Amino acid sequence: AAGVIQSPRHLIKEKRETATLKCYPIPRHDTVYWYQQGPGQDPQFLISFYEKMQSDKGSIPDRFSAQQFSDYHSELNMSSLELGDSALYFCASSLPGRVVQYFGPGTRLTVL
Amino acid sequence: EDKVVQSPLSLVVHEGDTVTLNCSYEVTNFRSLLWYKQEKKAPTFLFMLTSSGIEKKSGRLSSILDKKELFSILNITATQTGDSAIYLCALNAGGTSYGKLTFGQGTILTVHP
């Protein structure tokens, strides 16, 4: 069965650089969620999109922005990267109106 | 603010043992509670619970919710080394927080042969 696809899987950046993470939801899933998981931490909700509109916002820094495109894929743009942004970034998707979220494999971002 | 607390934070058992993982929560508008298993990478879905007292079961895993006392448990019987993982409890609240999941800290389960 098709799963959530995230790219890249690993990313290494320097401080103050920018990064773009991509997420391709499971076919027919119209809602996308982004989570950040620091080392030894639980996933923290960042932002979500439903039908290409932002539906909810969590603890996402102003340096980050995201959008969902017409094909439902989503991109998380991160600027002025800081050491503390080093984490595993998960994307999850869900069917219309459904609660269960299916997670992608994550992008491990390392900021040096 | 919605809150999820899991216990114990870590658990070490031997194959064949039975384990019970706990999840308590505080929420303004409860919608559902979900359990996920996280091994190396992405959390994988186990159960979703919305009603009190109805047990969800899948093989050796089962879970139940108590909405009055605001907790859920995840039971694993006859544990195997492949059950070693982090088990995450997550809350889905209604209202303006529609959709997002609030996770607990997770329980790290280690099953020794």
Side-chain angles (χ1 to χ4, degrees):
Chain A
V4 176
I5 297 171
Q6 290 188 245
S7 68
R9 296 291 302 276
H10 302 273
L11 192 57
I12 299 175
K13 291 285 184 178
E14 300 275 341
K15 276 171 54 178
R16 292 181 287 277
E17 285 191 320
T18 61
T20 297
L21 279 54
K22 296 186 179 182
C23 168
Y24 297 85
I26 294 170
R28 295 190 299 116
H29 285 203
D30 64 352
T31 307
V32 167
Y33 309 82
W34 286 97
Y35 293 85
Q36 177 192 58
Q37 187 174 32
Q41 305 291 316
D42 55 282
Q44 294 290 316
F45 172 74
L46 292 177
I47 195 165
S48 61
F49 292 88
Y50 165 66
E51 280 292 339
K52 292 151 278 185
M53 301 278 289
Q54 181 182 305
S55 55
D56 202 356
K57 196 170 180 180
S59 49
I60 184 169
D62 292 340
R63 300 177 288 109
F64 294 6
S65 65
Q67 57 181 324
Q68 185 180 32
F69 295 86
S70 57
D71 63 352
Y72 296 104
H73 95 271
S74 178
E75 294 183 6
L76 178 66
N77 298 295
M78 309 159 73
S79 62
S80 303
L81 287 169
E82 301 173 357
L83 296 178
D85 296 329
S86 295
L88 198 50
Y89 289 84
F90 287 113
C91 171
S93 71
S94 66
L95 282 165
R98 297 296 185 91
V99 171
V100 178
Q101 297 176 23
Y102 296 90
F103 285 75
T107 294
R108 182 168 295 283
L109 172 67
T110 303
V111 181
L112 302 175
Chain B
E1 187 178 320
D2 302 336
K3 191 176 176 184
V4 180
V5 177
Q6 291 185 245
S7 64
L9 294 182
S10 66
L11 194 53
V12 180
V13 299
H14 287 92
E15 273 192 319
D17 288 349
T18 294
V19 298
T20 298
L21 310 183
N22 303 292
C23 174
S24 63
Y25 62 90
E26 296 173 18
V27 65
T28 304
N29 294 299
F30 178 86
R31 191 161 181 244
S32 57
L33 186 142
L34 294 86
W35 285 95
Y36 284 85
K37 177 182 181 182
Q38 185 173 23
E39 295 174 89
K40 298 284 186 213
K41 292 283 181 168
T44 54
F45 171 71
L46 294 174
F47 298 112
M48 182 177 75
L49 303 154
T50 55
S51 302
S52 273
I54 298 176
E55 184 184 55
K56 291 286 184 81
K57 196 170 171 64
S58 176
R60 295 176 295 101
L61 277 68
S62 64
S63 184
I64 198 160
L65 175 69
D66 186 327
K67 287 170 75 173
K68 184 179 176 186
E69 299 298 328
L70 307 181
F71 78 89
S72 173
I73 59 172
L74 174 69
N75 279 316
I76 308 175
T77 59
T79 52
Q80 302 171 357
T81 54
D83 295 327
S84 295
I86 300 172
Y87 290 84
L88 294 164
C89 174
L91 192 63
N92 175 250
T96 57
S97 299
Y98 187 95
K100 79 171 191 182
L101 295 178
T102 299
F103 285 88
Q105 324 93 302
T107 293
I108 302 172
L109 176 64
T110 304
V111 182
H112 288 308

